[in-house]
Amino acid sequence: MESMGKKKPRPRRSFTPEFKAEIVELCRRGDRSVGQIAKDFDLTETAVRDWVKQAEVDAGERDGLTSSEREELAALRRENRRLREDVDILKRATAFFAPETR
């Protein structure tokens, strides 16, 4: 009885850029609402709205980071994190070996 009314969370899915572009094109046509398209393709309305918004940014119709800029930013953040870890390791190694040289 406890599980009645509780939905299991949906497993995270990934979609190809081509699929997202098709969904965005359907939304832009205006034949159906975003909610109806999301329902028809078993997608969340939020995800579809995000795809449409990102497509508008990529097309220059809206301000924001384009997809390529987002990818570059993510790569730079990963590199920055790795470099900070490297510096931290070197600092600890220096502190460890410094007493031996005196």
Side-chain angles (χ1 to χ4, degrees), residues 55-73:
E56 290 172 353
V57 170
D58 290 346
E61 300 168 4
R62 180 188 282 242
D63 288 337
L65 293 176
T66 64
S67 296
S68 61
E69 289 171 333
R70 285 183 183 277
E71 290 172 13
E72 181 182 11
L73 181 59

Side-chain angles (χ1 to χ4, degrees), residues 14-26:
S14 60
F15 302 97
T16 64
E18 294 81 16
F19 177 76
K20 290 179 183 181
E22 286 181 36
I23 297 297
V24 168
E25 183 56 36
L26 287 173

Side-chain angles (χ1 to χ4, degrees), residues 18-79:
E18 294 81 16
F19 177 76
K20 290 179 183 181
E22 286 181 36
I23 297 297
V24 168
E25 183 56 36
L26 287 173
C27 293
R28 285 189 173 170
R29 279 192 211 145
D31 300 343
R32 296 180 279 178
S33 69
V34 172
Q36 186 60 47
I37 292 170
K39 188 176 181 182
D40 291 347
F41 287 91
D42 191 30
L43 303 166
T44 63
E45 193 171 335
T46 304
V48 174
R49 289 189 190 282
D50 287 345
W51 296 347
V52 170
K53 187 166 119 181
Q54 187 62 51
E56 290 172 353
V57 170
D58 290 346
E61 300 168 4
R62 180 188 282 242
D63 288 337
L65 293 176
T66 64
S67 296
S68 61
E69 289 171 333
R70 285 183 183 277
E71 290 172 13
E72 181 182 11
L73 181 59
L76 289 171
R77 285 181 174 164
R78 278 191 303 273
E79 182 182 7

